[in-house]
Amino acid sequence: MMLKEKIAVVTGASRGIGKAIALELAQAGAYVIVNYNGSKERAEKVVSEIEQKGGKAEAVWCNVSDGAACEAMIRQVIEVHKKIDILVNNAGITKDSLLMRMSEADFDRVLDTNLKGTFFTMHYAARYMMKQRSGAIVNISSVVGVSGNAGQVNYAASKAGVIGMTKSAAKELASRGIRVNAVAPGFIDTEMTQSLKEKVITELAKQIPLGHLGKAAQVAKAVRFLASDDADYITGQVLCVDGGMVM
């Protein structure tokens, strides 16, 4: 129960890696704000699963690409819980296309959610963390933000931006006792990859030194570590959970 009595906000937590992070933090004792934008039903199912396992959570709507909505969500957390100890920026989308075919609208939508969304939540949460003189922020980037990927100019730009923002925020906030780190997942077995053909997954696995896709729970454990006091001398770092892809 290393996170007992901690208040944690996890964006995009209704499925996939976000869901795994919410479950992991709750299992470690945190009260988890399960943020969602699309499906309230999915988010409430995550809350129910957490409660069935003895944890505590609630579902809160917020479109992270909307600055006013982010401010309202963080304010609501403070009004109800009086503090915010952990912020995990996981919400993200993809709109893949080759550079020459990518529309400006698809470029902007990915940057608005993945990059500006991370900025907005950090911007508003940090105000309260600075007053507390404590807090841990973990931003979910991607190995694509480190190495690039054909057909994902927008996504790679957003995730590389998250890394730059993480390091800059870590330098700004360290004197107030706030740590800011990033986790960069590689190919992870989620609903998105489960829709791929077996041949495609086999080819993906060949790019991974450990020889197989990762699990969302493995990413979640890395997040839990960085959010905990076990990582109290770690800030401004990017932890790749990728089976060795970008070593």
Side-chain angles (χ1 to χ4, degrees):
M1 302 293 283
M2 62 173 64
L3 301 179
K4 187 176 181 181
E5 298 182 356
K6 301 286 189 182
I7 304 299
V9 175
V10 183
T11 69
S14 64
R15 61 179 178 176
I17 291 173
K19 174 183 176 180
I21 292 169
L23 292 169
E24 183 71 25
L25 298 186
Q27 188 173 352
Y31 184 103
V32 181
I33 311 300
V34 177
N35 161 252
Y36 70 97
N37 180 36
S39 173
K40 181 178 181 180
E41 183 180 1
R42 278 178 178 267
E44 290 180 340
K45 283 184 178 179
V46 175
V47 171
S48 295
E49 190 171 341
I50 288 172
E51 291 175 343
Q52 288 168 9
K53 294 180 179 181
K56 296 180 180 180
E58 65 181 286
V60 174
W61 175 87
C62 173
N63 177 355
V64 298
S65 68
D66 181 338
C70 290
E71 182 179 18
M73 176 178 69
I74 298 300
R75 189 190 311 118
Q76 178 182 338
V77 172
I78 296 300
E79 288 175 354
V80 175
H81 302 284
K82 310 306 179 187
K83 63 174 183 171
I84 176 171
D85 300 297
I86 299 164
L87 170 64
V88 181
N89 281 304
N90 168 77
I93 62 171
T94 58
K95 291 288 179 181
D96 297 348
S97 182
L98 294 174
L99 172 64
M100 301 308 295
R101 297 176 182 171
M102 185 174 292
S103 69
E104 182 179 357
D106 282 349
F107 185 89
D108 287 345
R109 284 186 65 189
V110 170
L111 270 289
D112 285 348
T113 298
N114 300 5
L115 188 59
K116 284 181 70 175
T118 299
F119 163 73
F120 284 141
T121 53
M122 284 203 299
H123 177 74
Y124 292 112
R127 292 181 179 181
Y128 298 101
M129 289 180 171
M130 289 174 72
K131 293 177 182 178
Q132 298 167 182
R133 302 193 73 83
S134 67
I137 299 173
V138 183
N139 297 323
I140 305 302
S141 179
S142 168
V143 292
V144 170
V146 178
S147 63
N149 194 34
Q152 290 193 308
V153 164
N154 49 3
Y155 186 75
S158 72
K159 293 303 186 177
V162 165
I163 290 172
M165 200 153 50
T166 296
K167 292 177 179 291
S168 298
K171 289 183 176 181
E172 289 186 21
L173 300 174
S175 64
R176 301 299 184 94
I178 303 165
R179 297 181 299 102
V180 190
N181 292 288
V183 171
F187 292 133
I188 305 298
D189 185 9
T190 62
E191 291 177 10
M192 190 179 299
T193 55
Q194 287 167 6
S195 65
L196 298 174
K197 294 180 180 179
E198 187 174 340
K199 182 180 178 180
V200 175
I201 293 177
T202 300
E203 290 302 312
L204 290 177
K206 289 180 180 178
Q207 302 176 44
I208 305 170
L210 287 182
H212 58 84
L213 274 63
K215 298 183 183 301
Q218 292 170 315
V219 178
K221 289 175 182 177
V223 173
R224 185 249 299 150
F225 166 69
L226 289 173
S228 76
D229 289 341
D230 283 353
D232 57 6
Y233 199 56
I234 299 174
T235 195
Q237 302 304 305
V238 181
L239 177 55
C240 292
V241 182
D242 65 352
M245 277 182 63
V246 297
M247 70 172 74

